[in-house]
């Protein structure tokens, strides 16, 4: 029988981190950040949180990454209080490039239809 606990925990982390970013983190660098996916290791010790930002500017992406890293202690503490886990996973943030890749594909399709 397969164990789906890591996926359930990842979904709960995604939901809670979105809520924490909206309600508890007051850093203006992370206001436009959207959490897109969470991947948790099988032993639930580490979580990689993928995020996207609407801006295409590299400086905005760097600011968002710096803001998320600065707020990671608060986010982890809040996760520890909200989730019923023995140990709160270590969290790291990565920029999700799938949104930009999808936009690039859409633009290429639109250009094909123009010709």
């Amino acid at each position: 029988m397969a164990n789906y606990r890591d996926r359930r925990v990842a979904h709960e982390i995604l939901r809670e981190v979105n809520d924490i970013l909206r309600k508890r983190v007051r850093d203006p660098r992370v206001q436009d950040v959207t959490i897109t996916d969470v991947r948790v290791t099988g032993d639930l010790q580490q979580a990689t949180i993928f995020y996207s930002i609407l801006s295409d500017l590299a400086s905005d992406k760097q600011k968002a990454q710096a803001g998320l890293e600065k707020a990671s202690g608060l986010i982890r503490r809040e996760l520890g209080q909200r989730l019923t886990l023995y140990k709160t996973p270590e969290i790291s943030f990565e920029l999700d490039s799938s949104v930009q890749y999808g936009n690039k594909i859409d633009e290429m399709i639109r250009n094909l239809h123009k010709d």
Side-chain angles (χ1 to χ4, degrees), residues 56-73:
D56 289 334
L57 299 175
S59 63
D60 288 343
K61 293 176 185 176
Q62 290 174 349
K63 288 178 185 176
Q65 181 71 29
L68 287 169
E69 287 174 1
K70 177 120 173 122
S72 65

Side-chain angles (χ1 to χ4, degrees), residues 71-89:
S72 65
L74 170 75
I75 294 170
R76 186 165 185 245
R77 187 180 75 227
E78 287 286 325
L79 277 176
Q81 293 172 356
R82 294 178 183 203
L83 299 178
T84 55
L85 294 174
Y86 178 70
K87 183 177 178 193
T88 306

Side-chain angles (χ1 to χ4, degrees), residues 26-107:
R26 288 174 172 67
D27 193 341
R29 297 177 289 186
V30 299
Q31 285 182 346
D32 296 332
V33 170
T34 303
I35 304 300
T36 56
D37 192 21
V38 176
R39 296 211 180 113
V40 179
T41 57
D43 60 356
L44 305 178
Q45 296 295 309
Q46 296 175 338
T48 304
I49 301 172
F50 294 92
Y51 69 94
S52 67
I53 186 167
L54 294 176
S55 175
D56 289 334
L57 299 175
S59 63
D60 288 343
K61 293 176 185 176
Q62 290 174 349
K63 288 178 185 176
Q65 181 71 29
L68 287 169
E69 287 174 1
K70 177 120 173 122
S72 65
L74 170 75
I75 294 170
R76 186 165 185 245
R77 187 180 75 227
E78 287 286 325
L79 277 176
Q81 293 172 356
R82 294 178 183 203
L83 299 178
T84 55
L85 294 174
Y86 178 70
K87 183 177 178 193
T88 306
E90 296 286 329
I91 59 174
S92 62
F93 292 95
E94 284 189 28
L95 182 64
D96 189 5
S97 60
S98 65
V99 175
Q100 293 163 342
Y101 181 73
N103 289 339
K104 181 180 175 184
I105 297 295
D106 286 341
E107 183 180 331

